[in-house]
Amino acid sequence: MNQAQLTQEQEYKSIYYPPGGILLWIIIFLELITFGLGLMALVYYGRLEPELFHQSRILLNPTFGTINTLFLLVSGFMMAKAVHSFREGERQISIAFIKWTLVGGVLFLGLKSYEYYDKVTSGIGLDENMFFTSYWLLTGFHFVHVLVGMVILLWIMIKMIPTDSDITQDDLASGAAFWHMCDLIWLLLFPALYLIF
Amino acid sequence: MKNRFNITLTVLVALTLTTSTVASLGSGIYNLIPLIIMLIALGKFLLVAFEFMELRKAHRFWKYLTLFAGLFITGILGIFSIAS
């Protein structure tokens, strides 16, 4: 571990300087609270109408949900590798890992879009029942977050390409933290919507 | 560090496949499967937070806050999803 890495590690020990920055972590916890409340509402209504929620849940495809989980996990792995490579001074390798992160995001959004298309053509909309209202709202907002995350990472990657780039480790770490937040939220959404009812 | 990420991903993939397997099991008298599924989700949540997001290097405040948030959400979902 070099001096820069040691300094970084010491800074992360400060309560005001978590990995990715304190602002991002405030955002992350606000998002976790928001999605958490949505999921708790899902479970509440699920207890009121267990049979309806069960019959609705089996209309979802857990295989697609599992594949999407794997897409995001591998994408998160690529993102972590990108941050590590940047810290090691391997800018080009870091850019390559960001590209693979974006590929994971594209695959996730592609499969999710297919699921949405399938539901829409089957006539299962926002007002089908409480389960599908929750499904559309929770996964829809998550979809938007993934899209925003991809825009952020694409912007960072483009700014990293020039040799005199002014993108810092903190910039990349913040973008990575937002991306991992999308992963964290999906890790809660997937079992709650696709498996437990 | 590289091996750490590789190991973390391997465990995450294994837990994801385990979740799918557990979800396909039949229910018994006491249907604890939703709770088991959410516990596995908690494990994955913490692995991503502590390894990929490097929270293990952070101040304990952020570690405990993340642990509490994950435990609270998955606990509520798991416990209240158990069939009565």
Side-chain angles (χ1 to χ4, degrees), chain A residues 143-189:
Chain A
F143 189 104
V144 170
H145 280 80
V146 172
L147 209 52
V148 168
M150 289 179 64
V151 169
I152 291 172
L153 291 181
L154 188 62
W155 184 85
I156 290 174
M157 188 185 74
I158 290 170
K159 295 286 272 184
M160 277 173 69
I161 290 173
T163 51
D164 60 346
S165 166
D166 58 357
I167 289 288
T168 65
Q169 190 173 310
D170 287 345
D171 296 332
L172 183 58
S174 296
F178 189 93
W179 187 254
H180 289 306
M181 176 192 72
C182 297
D183 202 358
L184 290 180
I185 293 169
W186 179 256
L187 289 176
L188 300 174
L189 290 188

Side-chain angles (χ1 to χ4, degrees), chain A residues 20 32 64 99 121 169:
Chain A
L32 286 176
F64 283 175
K99 285 180 185 172
T121 53
Q169 190 173 310

Side-chain angles (χ1 to χ4, degrees), chain B residues 35-70:
Chain B
L35 184 60
I36 294 170
I37 288 171
M38 293 315 302
L39 282 174
I40 296 174
L42 174 64
K44 290 159 63 180
F45 180 94
L46 295 176
L47 270 174
V48 170
F50 279 78
E51 294 298 330
F52 288 169
M53 300 178 84
E54 299 185 297
L55 208 56
R56 58 187 177 84
K57 300 177 184 176
H59 188 277
R60 67 181 67 177
F61 169 78
W62 298 106
K63 294 179 187 177
Y64 284 125
L65 194 58
T66 304
L67 176 62
F68 173 76

Side-chain angles (χ1 to χ4, degrees), chain A residues 70 73-74 77, chain B residues 4-14 52:
Chain A
L70 294 173
L73 288 175
V74 173
F77 168 79
Chain B
R4 200 176 186 106
F5 287 150
N6 294 344
I7 292 169
T8 301
L9 179 64
T10 304
V11 173
L12 284 168
V13 170
F52 288 169

Side-chain angles (χ1 to χ4, degrees), chain A residues 42-43 57 190-197, chain B residues 31 33-35 37-38 77-78 81:
Chain A
L42 175 78
V43 168
R57 193 270 295 172
F190 165 59
L193 289 168
Y194 288 79
L195 302 177
I196 63 175
F197 289 106
Chain B
N31 189 1
I33 288 175
L35 184 60
I37 288 171
M38 293 315 302
L77 296 181
S81 297

